[in-house]
Amino acid sequence: MHPMQVLHSMSSGNDSPKGIDRKTVKRVWDFSTPYRPMVIGFVVLIVVGTVVGLVPTLAFQDIIDVAIANEDTTRLNWLGLIVVAAAITSAVVSMVERWLSSRIGEGIIYDLRDKLFRHVQAMPLGFFTQTQTGALISRLNNDVIGAQRAFTTFLSTVIGNVINLGITLVVMFTIEWRLTILSLIILPFFLIPSRRVGARMADITRESMELNASMNTTMTERFNVSGAMLVKLFGRPKVEADDFGNRAARVRDIGIRSAMLARVFMTAMTLVGALGTAAIYWIGGQMVINGTITIGNLAALSLLVVRVYLPLTALSNARVDVTSALVSFERVFEILDMANPIVDAEHATELSNVRGHIRFDGVTFTYPSSDESTLASLEDGAGRRLPKRGPGSKIGAGLTPLTETPLASSGPEREVLKGINLDIDAGQLVAIVGPSGAGKSTLLNLVPRLYDIDQGSIEIDGHDVRSVTQESLRGAIGVVNQDPHMFHDTVGANLRYANPDATDQQLVEATKAARIFEVIDDLPDGFDTVVGERGYRLSGGEKQRLAIARMLLKDPAIVILDEATSHLDTENEHLIQQALETALDGRTSLVIAHRLSTITSADQIIVVDDGVVVERGTHDELRSLGGLYDTLYENLLRTDTMPA
Ligand SMILES: Nc1ncnc2c1ncn2[C@@H]1O[C@H](COP(=O)(O)OP(=O)(O)OP(=O)(O)O)[C@@H](O)[C@H]1O
Ligand SMILES: [Mg+2]
C-alpha cells in the first residue's frame, strides 16, 4: 500500500468509530480480582522505582550547586556512591517488576483459555455444526493473547507512567513551580487526539482480528485430510491459493495501516514534547540569567521535563494500545457469554443400572437456527464463503439436486420430526428404515440428547433424558456413526477413549468380537500404530469395525448404530454382520439399517418417512401391509449383495 493511501484510509471511512464499551472495561476489572495482590505489589514497585529513578537527577543538581560550588570532595564522593546504589536498586526493582507483570499476563492467558475451552466444549452439537472451527480457534489463540496485552500494557505503561508523572511533577514543582506549569500548557495536545485515535485503532483491531479468523478458517478447513482431498480431486488449488492470498493480503494491508496510524500519532506526540522541552530551556535560561533560579535548578528541570513528556507520550500511546487490545477482551467475553441451551437440570440425577427401555412420546423436533446456536461472527468466519462460480457456469445445471432442503439459517424453520411415538423394550433390536432425509439419524441423535426436543418427551427406563445428567446418559449409550471418527493417535489410544481403564486383554477381546483383531495384528506396530487424522489409513469397513470395538469397550446398555449406506463387499459385510451379532447381543439396539440381514433379524421395524413413523411391526407384518416398507424391501432385494 502507498503511504498516502494509508494516511488517507486512516482519516476516511467510519466517521464515528465504535470504540470500546464501558461495560467491557468494568468486566475486565472484575476479571482481574484474583490478581489484585500481585497488581498492588507491582504498583508499589513502580513507586519505589520512580523515586529511586529521581535520585541521580537530584544528586546532579546538588553536585552542581553545592559540591562543585564549594569544592567539597567528600560530598561529591558520597553523591557518587548514592547514584551507584540507586542504579543497582532500580535494576533489581525492574527485574521483580517484570517477573510480576509476566506472572499476571500469563496467568490471564491461562485463565481465559481454560474458561473458553471448558465453555466451548460444553456447547451443544448445534453450536459446532454452525460454527467455523478456524474462527473459533482464532479466538482462543489470537484474541486471548490480545486480551492479555490489554491488561499488561495497562499495568506497565498506564499505571507505571501515571505514577512516574505524578512524582516527577511534584519534585519539579518544589524546584520551580512557574516553569513546571509552563511545561504543562501543552497537555491538551496530548489528551485530545489520543481519544479519537484510540477509538479508530479499536476499529482497525476488530477488523484485523476478524480477518485473521477468516484466514485461520481457510487453513483449518483446507488442511485436514478430507478438505485437502476435496481440493485435489476437484483440482481447484489455484483458486484456493488465490483466495487465501487475498485474505492474507488484507491482513497485511491492515497491519500496515495500524502501524502507520500508531507511528503518525507517536511522532506528533514526540514533536509536541520537543516543543515543551525547548520552552523550558529558553525561558529557564532567561531565569538563570535573571538570577531567579540556579544553574543546578535548570539542569535538574531540563532532565526532569523529559521525564514528564516521555510518560505523556507513552500514556497517550497506551490509551490507543489498550483500547485496541480491549477489543480482544470483548471478543473473548462474547464467547463466554454465549448461553448453553443444553445443560443438566438443577436436580439432575444419575442414570444408573440402565435396562434399556426407551419411550418416545409425541416428540416434535426442529433443528435450531444458526442465530440460536452460534454467533454470526463465528458462523461465517467473518465473511468467509466458498469461492463463487462465475455467472456463466453451467456446472450442475442439468442435475436435479437430491434434496432441496433449505439450510437451517435461511428461510422458515422446518419440523424434521412430527409427533413421534415409540416404545422399545429393553434388549430389543429395532431396525429403522426410510428414505434419505426422512429423519432417521435425527431421531437417534435425540436419545443421547445431542439436541433438545421441542415437544413431547424421550424416556429411558422411565427417566426423561432431560432429568438425568448428560454424562450418565451418554455413559449408558454407545454410538457407532456412519463415518466414525478416529483421533490422530494410536489404535490403542483410540479404543481406550471409550474406556481409559481397559486392560490390554480387554482390547484384544473387544477387537476380536468386532472382527478387527486380525487387521490390527497385521499393522506394523499392532495396537501402537497411529491411525491418521480421521483414521484415514483404515478402509471404510475396517474403520466401522474398529468403531464397534470401541463401543464394546464402553459396554453400554443401549447401542445406536448408523449403518454405512455404501455397499460393502461380501467379505466385509460378513465380518460386520458377525461383529454386530456380538455387539448387539443383550443390549437395546437402535439400528438405522440398510442391509437386509439386519432388517429381517430385528424384533421391531420402524419405517420413517418425512418425520413421521408411517409403519411399525415385524418383517412379515410389514410385508403383508404392502406399504412403504414393502417398496423399500423390494428395492433392497434387487440391489443387496447378501439377501437374508
Ligand atoms: N444439523 C442439521 N441442521 C439442520 N437440518 C438438518 C441437520 N441435520 C439434518 N437436517 C435435516 O433434517 C432432515 C432429516 O435428516 P436426517 O439426517 O435425520 O435424515 P436421514 O433419514 O438420516 O437420511 P439418510 O438416510 O440420508 O442418512 C433432512 O431434511 C436434513 O436436511
Ligand atoms: Mg442419516
Side-chain angles (χ1 to χ4, degrees):
M1 220 188 218
H2 191 271
M4 279 328 287
Q5 244 175 306
V6 172
L7 293 181
H8 179 73
S9 60
M10 283 182 324
S11 51
S12 69
N14 196 349
D15 270 339
S16 54
K18 220 173 121 206
I20 288 290
D21 199 344
R22 274 199 180 282
K23 275 201 219 103
T24 309
V25 179
K26 165 91 174 58
R27 277 188 70 176
V28 175
W29 175 243
D30 293 342
F31 181 83
S32 70
T33 318
Y35 300 96
R36 297 275 162 79
M38 274 196 273
V39 170
I40 291 171
F42 184 79
V43 171
V44 169
L45 281 182
I46 288 179
V47 175
V48 174
T50 310
V51 172
V52 174
L54 286 169
V55 169
T57 310
L58 296 178
F60 187 47
Q61 171 180 297
D62 204 81
I63 287 173
I64 296 175
D65 285 349
V66 186
I68 296 180
N70 303 334
E71 295 177 10
D72 183 347
T73 330
T74 327
R75 194 180 180 93
L76 183 63
N77 290 343
W78 272 113
L79 288 169
L81 280 179
I82 288 174
V83 173
V84 172
I88 294 172
T89 315
S90 114
V92 172
V93 165
S94 105
M95 296 293 273
V96 183
E97 231 179 71
R98 185 71 192 103
W99 179 73
L100 275 179
S101 79
S102 57
R103 277 205 53 175
I104 297 170
E106 296 301 320
I108 286 178
I109 293 188
Y110 165 82
D111 266 8
L112 287 177
R113 288 224 168 108
D114 190 58
K115 278 205 177 68
L116 279 170
F117 190 89
R118 281 170 207 281
H119 186 72
V120 168
Q121 201 179 28
M123 291 303 283
L125 196 66
F127 169 75
F128 295 96
T129 59
Q130 308 273 14
T131 300
Q132 297 241 24
T133 317
L136 187 62
I137 292 174
S138 185
R139 294 265 171 130
L140 268 87
N141 285 330
N142 302 344
D143 284 289
V144 163
I145 291 170
Q148 174 271 137
R149 201 163 53 85
F151 205 81
T152 38
T153 311
F154 177 74
L155 270 191
S156 48
T157 316
V158 179
I159 299 192
N161 283 313
V162 165
I163 293 175
N164 216 316
L165 197 63
I167 295 179
T168 310
L169 280 176
V170 169
V171 174
M172 283 178 73
F173 263 107
T174 55
I175 297 177
E176 169 47 51
W177 64 272
R178 282 159 301 193
L179 264 186
T180 309
I181 290 187
L182 180 75
S183 73
L184 290 181
I185 284 179
I186 55 169
L187 203 57
F189 293 100
F190 280 98
L191 298 183
I192 296 169
S194 76
R195 189 187 183 93
R196 220 186 135 71
V197 177
R200 181 94 195 96
M201 203 64 166
D203 287 352
I204 292 185
T205 310
R206 209 172 273 127
E207 202 182 328
S208 129
M209 284 296 182
E210 276 165 16
L211 284 172
N212 265 307
S214 99
M215 220 167 53
N216 243 317
T217 300
T218 310
M219 290 191 273
T220 49
E221 279 210 319
R222 268 55 179 175
F223 289 170
N224 65 60
V225 183
S226 322
M229 194 149 127
L230 195 63
V231 172
K232 284 192 197 306
L233 292 180
F234 284 81
R236 309 194 65 181
K238 193 177 169 326
V239 179
E240 292 291 342
D242 290 350
D243 194 50
F244 180 78
N246 283 339
R247 252 166 255 283
R250 281 166 68 195
V251 172
R252 172 196 63 200
D253 292 345
I254 206 161
I256 298 176
R257 222 160 85 201
S258 92
M260 282 308 289
L261 178 61
R263 179 46 67 89
V264 166
F265 178 66
M266 182 82 177
T267 312
M269 293 299 103
T270 313
L271 212 61
V272 174
L275 293 180
T277 313
I280 294 276
Y281 290 171
W282 205 336
I283 299 167
Q286 200 65 48
M287 288 170 95
V288 175
I289 295 174
N290 296 344
T292 325
I293 55 173
T294 65
I295 297 181
N297 288 155
L298 178 62
L301 279 173
S302 56
L303 286 178
L304 286 173
V305 79
V306 178
R307 295 182 66 110
V308 171
Y309 291 138
L310 280 185
L312 268 181
T313 315
L315 271 178
S316 30
N317 216 39
R319 170 179 204 146
V320 174
D321 251 15
V322 170
T323 338
S324 60
L326 274 173
V327 168
S328 287
F329 255 114
E330 210 175 66
R331 286 164 55 88
V332 166
F333 286 148
E334 194 182 32
I335 299 219
L336 288 176
D337 287 347
M338 255 179 335
N340 185 343
I342 303 189
V343 287
D344 286 350
E346 203 176 327
H347 299 294
T349 53
E350 297 283 318
L351 186 66
S352 54
N353 301 323
V354 181
R355 285 178 298 109
H357 173 239
I358 302 173
R359 215 175 111 87
F360 275 61
D361 193 9
V363 171
T364 302
F365 176 71
T366 311
Y367 275 102
S369 67
S370 58
D371 355 327
E372 290 171 70
S373 34
T374 189
L375 300 167
S377 54
L378 287 179
E379 190 202 350
D380 61 7
R384 167 77 201 151
R385 284 278 177 257
L386 283 170
K388 296 235 165 40
R389 254 191 263 127
S393 170
K394 286 277 185 289
I395 303 171
L399 296 172
T400 325
L402 289 175
T403 43
E404 280 198 307
T405 323
L407 286 176
S409 54
S410 58
E413 286 152 31
R414 199 173 56 94
E415 250 179 24
V416 175
L417 296 177
K418 306 155 190 168
I420 302 272
N421 295 305
L422 292 177
D423 203 338
I424 298 161
D425 285 338
Q428 263 196 343
L429 167 59
V430 179
I432 294 155
V433 296
S436 181
K440 305 181 294 294
S441 300
T442 308
L443 184 74
L444 295 197
N445 281 342
L446 297 180
V447 181
R449 204 184 168 199
L450 293 184
Y451 295 94
D452 265 346
I453 56 178
D454 302 333
Q455 278 166 43
S457 66
I458 299 173
E459 287 173 4
I460 295 178
D461 292 352
H463 302 284
D464 192 303
V465 293
R466 286 165 296 194
S467 72
V468 296
T469 62
Q470 295 176 74
E471 203 179 327
S472 66
L473 172 69
R474 288 167 196 159
I477 303 173
V479 181
V480 177
N481 288 325
Q482 261 172 305
D483 183 21
H485 184 80
M486 299 287 155
F487 289 122
H488 183 97
D489 206 335
T490 63
V491 173
N494 269 298
L495 287 170
R496 281 207 173 87
Y497 197 72
N499 178 5
D501 302 325
T503 60
D504 290 350
Q505 185 55 34
Q506 281 173 305
L507 290 197
V508 172
E509 278 166 21
T511 46
K512 279 191 171 152
R515 303 296 186 274
I516 185 71
F517 179 72
E518 324 267 89
V519 176
I520 297 174
D521 211 31
D522 277 350
L523 290 174
D525 296 317
F527 281 99
D528 293 328
T529 312
V530 174
V531 283
E533 191 194 32
R534 307 189 172 204
Y536 242 71
R537 290 180 209 163
L538 296 170
S539 79
E542 289 164 351
K543 222 192 317 174
Q544 187 127 31
R545 279 180 279 148
L546 191 62
I548 292 174
R550 179 170 60 186
M551 187 268 287
L552 285 176
L553 280 168
K554 196 175 173 183
D555 193 21
I558 298 168
V559 171
I560 289 178
L561 187 89
D562 210 335
E563 272 190 356
T565 21
S566 57
H567 278 264
L568 303 159
D569 60 75
T570 332
E571 168 74 8
N572 236 324
E573 161 99 29
H574 188 60
L575 286 174
I576 290 206
Q577 186 58 36
Q578 287 183 329
L580 283 186
E581 265 162 34
T582 325
L584 307 185
D585 187 42
R587 310 172 203 270
T588 307
S589 313
L590 304 172
V591 182
I592 298 177
H594 299 290
R595 296 170 315 118
L596 287 176
S597 45
T598 320
I599 301 174
T600 48
S601 60
D603 299 308
Q604 193 184 166
I605 299 168
I606 290 165
V607 186
V608 183
D609 188 18
D610 199 14
V612 194
V613 175
V614 287
E615 289 164 27
R616 173 199 335 219
T618 60
H619 173 70
D620 295 331
E621 287 166 7
L622 295 186
R623 276 288 273 172
S624 60
L625 268 181
L628 180 58
Y629 178 76
D630 204 41
T631 320
L632 289 170
Y633 181 76
E634 292 289 335
N635 280 340
L636 263 184
L637 261 192
R638 254 183 278 125
T639 51
D640 206 85
T641 47
M642 201 186 73

